[in-house]
Amino acid sequence: MKIIEVLSYEEMSTKAANFIIQQINQDPSSVLGLATGETTLGLYKKLVQDHYLNNTSYQNIRTLNLDEYVGLAENDPQSYRTYMNNQLFNHVDLPIQQTHLPDGMAKNLVEECLRYDELIYNIGGADIQLLGIGQNGHIGFNEPGTSFQSNTHVVELMDSTRKANARYFSSINDVPTHAITMGIQSIFNSKKILLLASGHKKANAIERLLNGKVNEDLPVSILKNHEDITLIADREALSLTKKNDGIYSTY
Ligand code: PGA
């Protein structure tokens, strides 16, 4: 695992944006695996700025998002489709039919999971998968205990995850109880992984990732077995991680 330590959220966002832009420049028909949440907001802002300043083109890019809430319509202000449209898709030259998220309003959720897996398979998986990390070590909505072999599935969100996301809703009761998430296997199959972490709230999960073993109790830990993973983390997120002469211990 390559670890890039940065001073701030801003620096993390800039470095992550450069990483994605480099991928697009190398292969303008890349498949980008995208994530939602607070961590990635700054990065999307920088991608949009870059698109205006440098004309980086998304014309041939295809995107696969990690997850979507069950029961929220596409145009619901809190849906991840709305987040992606507002933060990135509406501001770059990416044809909307080349963007993909699971459909949280599908009548048959089992069929929807199969459809999404088939789509991931047909598209050839992500060339680069962007990931945040949950305070409990989740990736996508793969909560602790999820099988490393999992494909797209419906999950019941843990109380801690619903609480962490309640800030976007009027009350915790409005936070959906379920979501559809890409499975850990599909995430792992991405050619490159870009994992981002910012702030004290992520320090415990990052410490467990870097110093602990690969274990289904910490979904993100599987990424230690990935051959092309970069973690960009700020000092606060790395604050509980032991460091010897710039080398992070034991991972
Ligand atoms: P956050 O979420 O970016 O809002 O902290 C990350 C995650 O839960 O995966």
Side-chain angles (χ1 to χ4, degrees):
M1 185 184 304
K2 184 174 174 203
I3 301 176
I4 301 175
E5 179 175 349
V6 293
L7 292 177
S8 62
Y9 178 85
E10 178 72 13
E11 195 185 350
M12 177 193 76
S13 304
T14 303
K15 285 214 157 43
N18 290 343
F19 212 91
I20 303 277
I21 294 162
Q22 195 182 10
Q23 172 70 37
I24 296 173
N25 287 338
Q26 269 168 14
D27 177 5
S29 349
S30 293
V31 177
L32 304 181
L34 299 178
T36 50
E38 208 171 333
T39 309
T40 43
L41 282 173
L43 149 69
Y44 292 137
K45 221 169 166 178
K46 294 199 181 287
L47 291 182
V48 171
Q49 279 167 1
D50 164 76
H51 173 70
Y52 283 112
L53 288 173
N54 304 316
N55 294 319
T56 302
S57 176
Y58 293 72
Q59 198 73 50
N60 296 312
I61 294 292
R62 286 163 299 162
T63 69
L64 285 169
N65 261 80
L66 287 169
D67 43 21
E68 180 58 282
Y69 287 116
V70 167
L72 295 192
E74 274 196 1
N75 60 359
D76 188 290
Q78 302 307 338
S79 76
Y80 286 160
R81 163 55 77 180
T82 299
Y83 172 108
M84 288 309 306
N85 287 350
N86 289 344
Q87 302 306 325
L88 182 68
F89 299 159
N90 288 348
H91 308 289
V92 295
D93 61 339
L94 172 58
I96 206 76
Q97 66 275 14
Q98 289 164 211
T99 68
H100 305 284
L101 286 91
D103 176 5
M105 289 295 278
K107 282 211 177 68
N108 185 328
L109 293 173
V110 175
E111 274 176 19
E112 174 57 13
C113 293
L114 291 173
R115 180 195 72 84
Y116 207 64
D117 278 336
E118 219 169 271
L119 176 76
I120 296 169
Y121 179 81
N122 289 336
I123 236 170
D127 290 306
I128 182 165
Q129 178 65 56
L130 178 63
L131 290 173
I133 179 172
Q135 291 173 46
N136 62 7
H138 74 202
I139 45 175
F141 273 132
N142 291 287
E143 301 284 38
T146 306
S147 162
F148 284 154
Q149 270 80 50
S150 55
N151 293 316
T152 303
H153 59 284
V154 175
V155 289
E156 181 170 3
L157 300 176
M158 289 178 72
D159 283 347
S160 59
T161 298
R162 293 184 67 234
K163 271 188 204 139
N165 290 2
R167 60 192 190 278
Y168 302 112
F169 294 82
S170 354
S171 90
I172 181 125
N173 297 328
D174 294 334
V175 183
T177 54
H178 291 75
I180 300 183
T181 185
M182 196 187 277
I184 295 180
Q185 184 72 60
S186 318
I187 294 173
F188 189 82
N189 287 345
S190 310
K191 293 180 193 74
K192 289 181 209 161
I193 304 273
L194 179 59
L195 177 65
L196 306 182
S198 171
H200 285 296
K201 281 194 286 191
K202 303 299 170 71
N204 185 260
I206 291 293
E207 193 281 329
R208 290 174 67 205
L209 167 67
L210 296 183
N211 291 330
K213 292 203 162 57
V214 174
N215 187 307
E216 287 181 352
D217 287 342
L218 189 74
V220 69
S221 65
I222 188 65
L223 302 179
K224 288 165 80 146
N225 292 344
H226 198 283
E227 60 185 26
D228 192 345
I229 167 164
T230 302
L231 165 65
I232 307 179
D234 65 15
R235 280 195 175 165
E236 289 183 2
L238 288 165
S239 58
L240 296 178
T241 306
K242 285 196 188 113
K243 197 176 163 190
N244 300 316
D245 302 329
I247 310 293
Y248 293 88
S249 51
T250 66
Y251 59 90

